[in-house]
Amino acid sequence: MKRIVIAGRNDSGKSTIVGELYRGLKGKEYQPLAVGSGIQDEKPYLHKGIDVTYLTIAVPEPGKDVVADIERVIRNHVNQIQEKNRLIQHARRALEELNKVRSVLELGNLSQRDIPHTSALPDVVLIEAVGINDGYKSAECRKLADILISIIPAGIKSEIIMEQGSILLDEADIVVVTKIDETPRDVSSTTIKLLQRIYRHKPIIPVVATQGVHVNLVLEEVIKRLNEPVFLMDNAQAQTQVEIRVPKEKRNV
Ligand SMILES: Nc1nc2c(ncn2[C@@H]2O[C@H](COP(=O)(O)OP(=O)(O)OP(=O)(O)O)[C@@H](O)[C@H]2O)c(=O)[nH]1
Ligand SMILES: [Mg+2]
């Protein structure tokens, strides 16, 4: 499963972008799993229409390996969905059996209506990284991400963009500049031009995240990367490996 990491400063608009991308990806027939970086993310995600089935939280402990921790959280959450699906299927089968008996006894069938449907498994992960205060220097986000999106508020100081060793900017796949609606025009324009000058070959996309303005451009860039041949090849390989690892008796379950 490809991991899209949304990283950036505190209050820059990361959660808002996660919500927008979740909706956009769903609209394109993907099923994202949203991973927040703290309990405070849960309520805003639900508010943004992220289904509770596809929402989880990873709280990395200081000093612990964030990447491994998030992998564990994703695995656990997918297992939970699978386990719930299994229970639902059991319930359906049990009810069918019961209805057979009821029909013999001429008692009439009970409805399956109250049993929920199974949930599709997520096929892509949206991870909001912990907000950072000092520059853009978090190597972990790059390690974690197949697609790294760095969020920069339009009003940011130019010195921060120009700092040495800003791995989140240097290595971002997509740079999103937020809050262009509430930032004076000359300031936004300086930020965007500076980014374009330093990162000539990166998509740099100014948005009004809260109103969804230009978020479709971010979505296009994400989908382009999800469809890149190298990604597809990775997926095919991962699937073959899973096939090989599944013991025979567990197949066709
Ligand atoms: N005007 C305006 N407000 C925005 C924009 N993007 C986000 N906001 C607002 O900025 C505030 C912070 O947005 P969040 O999406 O919570 O930012 P965050 O980076 O997730 O914040 P933390 O997780 O606390 O670091 C919220 O009040 C948003 O409504 C934007 O493009 N324009
Ligand atoms: Mg947030």
Side-chain angles (χ1 to χ4, degrees), residues 69-196:
D69 192 54
I70 288 193
E71 273 166 6
R72 184 185 55 81
V73 167
I74 293 171
R75 229 178 12 248
N76 279 353
H77 197 81
V78 171
N79 284 344
Q80 264 176 33
I81 297 176
Q82 281 175 321
E83 183 55 30
K84 198 172 152 206
N85 282 347
R86 269 194 288 274
L87 290 174
I88 290 171
Q89 281 162 347
H90 274 305
R92 285 188 179 276
R93 277 200 293 270
L95 188 57
E96 269 167 33
E97 289 302 316
L98 178 62
N99 275 335
K100 275 184 205 159
V101 177
R102 288 180 63 96
S103 136
V104 172
L105 299 176
E106 297 181 350
L107 289 172
N109 279 1
L110 295 177
S111 163
Q112 297 244 359
R113 249 200 330 254
D114 293 338
I115 303 180
H117 289 286
T118 51
S119 308
L121 293 183
D123 46 18
V124 59
V125 191
L126 285 167
I127 301 166
E128 175 172 350
V130 182
I132 41 179
N133 284 318
D134 51 342
Y136 278 81
K137 301 176 179 172
S138 166
E140 277 161 341
C141 291
R142 179 66 277 185
K143 265 207 309 208
L144 189 59
D146 295 299
I147 303 173
L148 177 61
I149 306 181
S150 290
I151 312 289
I152 303 178
I156 198 170
K157 289 197 181 73
S158 299
E159 298 92 90
I160 299 177
I161 297 178
M162 288 189 294
E163 266 176 356
Q164 290 295 310
S166 295
I167 188 161
L168 286 180
L169 296 181
D170 295 347
E171 303 237 347
D173 297 302
I174 303 167
V175 175
V176 176
V177 182
T178 50
K179 307 199 176 187
I180 49 170
D181 55 326
E182 60 168 38
T183 309
R185 223 190 167 86
D186 55 325
V187 177
S188 303
S189 143
T190 306
T191 303
I192 293 163
K193 280 191 190 138
L194 181 61
L195 285 167
Q196 285 171 338

Side-chain angles (χ1 to χ4, degrees), residues 9-16 41 128 131 178-179 181-182 207-210:
R9 296 173 77 76
N10 285 329
D11 201 47
S12 56
K14 298 181 295 299
S15 299
T16 311
D41 287 333
E128 175 172 350
T178 50
K179 307 199 176 187
D181 55 326
E182 60 168 38
V207 302
V208 183
T210 35

